[in-house]
Amino acid sequence: MTKVQEIPLNQIRRPLPRENDPNKVAALMESIQEIGQQEPIDVLEVDGQYYGFSGCHRYEACQRLGKETILARVRKAPRAVLKMHLA
């Protein structure tokens, strides 16, 4: 089951390092300031912890804007699913 909700940025773990395109992050920052976040990021909730593997540009844009939360599509998953994402 998936639900969309606001998640505190500081509660989302990003276990895989990503290289973001600074131009894309800047464009997203401008867009989020003007019209808000339009597309939620996807996070896994495993044992009450949030893990983000996609939406890295949106995540960084919200972080740089000083946002405390981000709109996220949350999917509860067992630890086995998390391990598959980390493999």
Side-chain angles (χ1 to χ4, degrees):
M1 182 173 135
T2 304
K3 62 180 178 176
V4 176
Q5 64 189 72
E6 292 280 338
I7 302 287
L9 280 167
N10 64 3
Q11 289 185 17
I12 300 173
R13 297 177 183 196
R14 311 261 327 158
L16 301 177
R18 304 279 180 164
E19 287 293 323
N20 288 339
D21 176 343
N23 294 326
K24 187 172 180 178
V25 172
L28 280 167
M29 288 173 67
E30 187 176 314
S31 173
I32 290 169
Q33 280 184 311
E34 289 179 15
I35 60 174
Q37 183 186 345
Q38 298 299 297
E39 182 66 28
I41 65 168
D42 293 309
V43 297
L44 288 178
E45 183 183 352
V46 179
D47 299 331
Q49 298 288 321
Y50 299 109
Y51 296 87
F53 295 96
S54 66
C56 51
H57 290 91
R58 285 168 281 166
Y59 179 87
E60 185 175 333
C62 286
Q63 242 184 353
R64 287 190 184 184
L65 288 169
K67 302 273 186 192
E68 291 187 17
T69 63
I70 190 167
L71 190 61
R73 192 176 298 109
V74 180
R75 181 171 59 108
K76 288 190 180 218
R79 191 154 289 283
V81 171
L82 176 61
K83 287 180 181 178
M84 287 189 323
H85 282 277
L86 297 173

